[in-house]
């Protein structure tokens, strides 16, 4: 057997999004991603051939990376992390945890340590916590801070300031948190006065959302008694798994056909644990779809997390006829991972059931791109939550498809894409609205469209996948700063 070397990419992005702070070995944000927009164009290429260069590894999972920082803060002692996603969103959460008392140090690429203060031990931040573009970071930290007797100010970029926070403020208020200030409609900037002794509550989430569930559970860590969260449809379970791993008493049981009931006993002493962050399936989605739609492609992506609550895209692509092979299913850092071999495929349109949405909520933009290249119609049902992501993703995807000559329509909360049987015109300029997944999805479209596809800004890709461009280029994609013609 020939040994192939895995390609790893430096996490640094050219825009100097982070800078080394020598005294702490820590990273701080230096430039907001949105300061100066940088358009990028993806040109059609012959194929993507990872085989020539060895398997690739996409960066660590964003959801687990945020939580690694938070669990580090809430444990007494040193938590170590390997494979952390060093994207802007996670760095913002690290900054927030530092402001609340953690000592956070970057040892080397992806390797970090967090010396936490434990539940009940947080100090009040002396500045506004600026979460940039990060919905997950801000919402989870509202739970963390809300469970402590401190006043905390939350803010973010223009995208975050548009996102609904009432879904978090409502349950937190029931737990005794006071909302001292908020912008219209329950949006950032928000000031919370946390509860000295949060009330344990029973709460049914109005939408399937791991962020709502996690904010409640994190606040409940400091509540005397049992808090119950019922979700009508199961959302990603990283918080529950990490709570158990760090030593909390938590019971998870099925509830109804697709739902779950989670019962957490408050006031545990969380013990610091080593965390290994698996590769992010939501980032892997981009090279996967790029290889499927670009003829003659054959790539391997290593160690992708295949937690069943995150694999809706893979199930859907399989139904579409995608040639995706799982090469080595194994457990890494408590999660199931596999190497995925992806070859270009003749895709066919499918109906994606609404109940699959929670397990692929971030993957619809890139699925819409795959659907554009398929034969026949793809109908994606029940996409209401896409309207409140980093952008109104339903509108942004529809506009991007229109700009590139793809027939589609929106019916209520459903997106219907008429595939071009392998042919997509391209040639469009796509408005990204500060949304990393819109930018990456349409750059993927450009790899296989008849004409190049441009996006109006690539800078915010650094929030989740700072090495997207060098990695895609290493696979054979062609991305330049000049505009499509
Ligand atoms: C996330 C939950 C999801 C997802 C987001 C990450 C998390 O949001 O879209 O990118 O880490 O908990 P919702 O909880 O709003 O569905």
């Amino acid at each position: 057997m020939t040994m192939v070397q895995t390609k790893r990419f430096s996490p640094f992005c050219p825009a100097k999004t982070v800078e080394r702070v020598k005294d702490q070995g820590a990273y701080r944000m230096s430039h907001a991603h949105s300061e100066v927009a940088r358009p990028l164009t993806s040109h059609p290429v012959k194929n993507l051939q990872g085989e020539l260069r060895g398997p690739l590894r996409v960066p660590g999972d964003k959801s687990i990376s945020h939580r690694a920082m938070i669990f580090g803060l809430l444990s007494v002692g040193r938590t170590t992390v390997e494979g952390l996603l060093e994207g802007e969103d996670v760095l913002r959460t690290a900054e927030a945890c530092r402001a609340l008392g953690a000592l956070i140090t970057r040892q080397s690429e992806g390797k970090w340590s967090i010396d936490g203060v434990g539940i009940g031990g947080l100090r009040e931040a002396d500045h506004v916590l600026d979460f940039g573009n990060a919905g997950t970071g801000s919402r989870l930290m509202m739970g963390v801070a809300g469970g402590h007797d401190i006043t905390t100010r939350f803010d973010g970029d223009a995208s975050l300031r548009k996102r609904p926070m009432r879904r978090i403020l409502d349950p937190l208020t029931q737990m005794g948190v006071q909302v001292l200030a908020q912008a219209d409609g329950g949006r950032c900037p928000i000031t919370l006065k946390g509860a000295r002794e949060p009330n344990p509550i029973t709460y049914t989430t109005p939408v399937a959302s791991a962020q709502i569930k996690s904010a409640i559970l994190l606040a409940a860590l400091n509540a005397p008694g049992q808090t119950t969260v019922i979700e009508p449809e199961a959302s990603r379970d990283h918080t529950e798994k990490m709570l158990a791993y760090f030593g909390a008493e938590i019971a998870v049981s099925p509830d109804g056909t697709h739902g779950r009931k989670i019962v957490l006993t408050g006031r545990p002493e969380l013990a610091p644990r080593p965390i290994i962050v698996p590769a992010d399936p939501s980032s892997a989605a981009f090279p996967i779809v790029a290889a499927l739609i670009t003829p003659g492609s054959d790539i391997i992506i290593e160690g992708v997390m295949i937690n069943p609550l995150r694999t809706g895209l893979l199930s859907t692509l399989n139904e579409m006829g995608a040639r995706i092979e799982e090469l080595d299913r194994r457990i890494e850092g408590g999660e199931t991972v596999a190497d995925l071999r992806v070859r270009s495929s003749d895709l066919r349109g499918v109906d994606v059931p609404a109940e699959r949405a929670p397990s692929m909520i971030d993957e619809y933009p890139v699925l819409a791109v795959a659907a554009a290249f398929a034969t026949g119609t793809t109908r994606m049902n029940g996409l209401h939550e896409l309207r409140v992501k980093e952008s109104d993703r339903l509108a942004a995807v529809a506009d991007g498809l229109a700009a590139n000559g793809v027939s589609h329509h929106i019916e209520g909360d459903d997106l219907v894409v008429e595939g071009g049987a392998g042919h997509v015109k391209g040639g469009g300029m796509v408005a990204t609205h500060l949304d990393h997944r819109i930018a990456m999805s349409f750059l993927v479209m450009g790899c296989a469209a008849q004409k190049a596809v441009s996006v109006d800004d690539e800078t915010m890709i650094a929030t989740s996948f700072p090495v997207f461009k060098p990695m895609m280029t290493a696979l054979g994609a062609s991305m330049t700063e000049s505009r499509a013609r």
Side-chain angles (χ1 to χ4, degrees):
M1 195 181 110
T2 351
M3 291 298 289
V4 274
Q5 243 213 314
T6 302
K7 277 255 160 185
R8 286 177 197 272
F9 293 91
S10 151
F12 301 104
C13 33
K16 272 213 322 186
T17 46
V18 291
E19 74 183 16
R20 191 85 196 253
V21 177
K22 286 203 185 77
D23 56 349
Q24 290 182 44
Y27 272 51
R28 286 187 196 285
M29 308 305 305
S30 61
H31 290 109
H33 59 262
S34 51
E35 262 174 21
V36 184
R38 238 187 3 247
L40 190 67
T41 296
S42 174
H43 302 271
V45 291
K46 243 177 59 216
N47 58 40
L48 300 177
Q49 275 298 4
E51 221 179 27
L52 301 174
R53 301 168 176 89
L56 288 150
R57 191 174 179 96
V58 300
D61 185 65
K62 183 153 76 74
S63 294
I64 296 182
S65 295
H66 281 296
R67 288 161 173 82
M69 289 294 160
I70 291 172
F71 279 89
L73 167 71
L74 294 175
S75 311
V76 180
R78 176 163 292 195
T79 293
T80 55
V81 189
E82 270 180 55
L84 186 89
L85 164 64
E86 293 174 337
E88 282 184 15
D89 279 10
V90 174
L91 297 176
R92 299 274 184 175
T93 297
E95 274 301 304
C97 290
R98 201 176 271 137
L100 296 176
L103 177 68
I104 300 180
T105 311
R106 181 184 194 260
Q107 322 278 1
S108 59
E109 189 177 322
K111 271 196 163 189
W112 293 62
S113 68
I114 304 122
D115 292 289
V117 293
I119 298 162
L122 304 197
R123 72 163 183 237
E124 194 162 89
D126 60 9
H127 58 270
V128 177
L129 304 186
D130 181 353
F131 286 93
N133 198 247
T136 306
S138 56
R139 289 174 170 152
L140 268 53
M141 290 303 291
M142 284 182 192
V144 171
H148 287 77
D149 186 20
I150 52 175
T151 297
T152 315
R153 290 169 292 160
F154 297 82
D155 205 356
D157 68 7
S159 154
L160 193 65
R161 281 183 170 206
K162 286 189 198 147
R163 299 185 70 180
M165 295 297 174
R166 228 174 235 155
R167 52 178 59 198
I168 305 295
L169 302 182
D170 284 349
L172 290 184
T173 307
Q174 288 186 24
M175 297 179 86
V177 178
Q178 293 171 54
V179 183
L180 301 185
Q182 59 184 301
D184 273 357
R187 293 175 210 278
C188 279
I190 285 173
T191 305
L192 297 185
K193 166 108 183 70
R196 182 185 302 275
E197 188 157 290
N199 309 317
I201 58 168
T202 294
Y203 195 82
T204 302
T205 58
V207 287
S209 162
Q211 294 178 356
I212 302 177
K213 168 177 66 180
S214 302
I216 299 167
L217 293 173
L218 290 166
L221 278 172
N222 204 20
Q226 287 192 328
T227 294
T228 302
V229 181
I230 297 162
E231 41 179 9
E233 281 173 293
S235 63
R236 65 192 68 194
D237 58 359
H238 308 302
T239 300
E240 297 91 300
K241 284 175 117 174
M242 289 173 86
L243 279 166
Y245 180 59
F246 276 74
E249 197 182 316
I250 179 163
V252 181
S253 52
D255 195 84
T257 323
H258 304 291
R260 285 192 177 175
K261 177 176 166 189
I262 300 126
V263 182
L264 173 70
T265 304
R267 303 253 164 105
E269 172 127 355
L270 298 185
R273 302 293 306 267
I275 298 173
I276 298 171
V277 185
D280 193 332
S282 299
S283 295
F286 300 104
I288 288 174
V289 170
L292 290 174
I293 62 174
T294 311
S297 301
D298 189 352
I299 65 168
I300 294 174
I301 310 175
E302 197 188 69
V304 180
M305 177 165 62
I306 50 168
N307 175 322
L309 293 167
R310 299 287 299 278
T311 48
L313 176 73
L314 290 179
S315 310
T316 306
L317 291 173
N318 282 332
E319 289 169 9
M320 293 173 84
R323 295 191 296 164
I324 303 177
E325 252 178 275
E326 257 183 37
L327 293 184
D328 179 14
R329 187 183 265 250
R330 57 200 184 271
I331 304 285
E332 274 180 14
E335 289 284 359
T336 308
V337 303
D339 302 338
L340 301 178
R341 180 176 183 197
V342 186
R343 284 175 283 176
S344 48
S345 306
D346 293 328
L347 301 175
R348 46 182 186 273
V350 292
D351 227 53
V352 189
E355 58 272 17
R356 198 177 285 166
S359 66
M360 56 178 297
I361 194 67
D362 293 333
E363 281 69 79
Y364 284 104
V366 80
L367 175 64
V369 170
F373 286 86
T375 302
T377 306
T378 296
R379 181 180 197 97
M380 296 164 233
N381 296 287
L383 305 190
H384 48 91
E385 274 297 294
L386 285 203
R387 297 187 193 275
V388 291
K389 293 295 177 188
E390 284 82 332
S391 66
D392 175 345
R393 276 190 185 153
L394 198 45
V397 167
D399 291 349
L401 293 173
N404 289 288
V406 180
S407 303
H408 66 282
H409 61 277
I410 293 175
E411 274 176 37
D413 288 333
D414 306 340
L415 174 64
V416 182
V417 178
E418 304 296 343
H423 301 289
V424 167
K425 275 196 204 124
M429 166 60 84
V430 177
T432 51
H433 305 285
L434 289 177
D435 191 329
H436 54 135
R437 299 200 201 278
I438 297 298
M440 289 186 277
S441 298
F442 284 95
L443 290 167
V444 162
M445 175 183 268
C447 296
Q450 281 152 2
K451 285 189 186 158
V453 175
S454 297
V455 298
D456 64 359
D457 187 15
E458 59 141 331
T459 56
M460 88 306 279
I461 291 174
T463 60
S464 69
F465 198 164
V467 293
F468 173 77
K469 191 165 69 170
M471 191 178 137
M472 292 301 293
T473 307
L475 282 174
S478 163
M479 296 187 191
T480 64
E481 282 167 25
S482 63
R483 290 190 52 161
R485 266 188 286 251

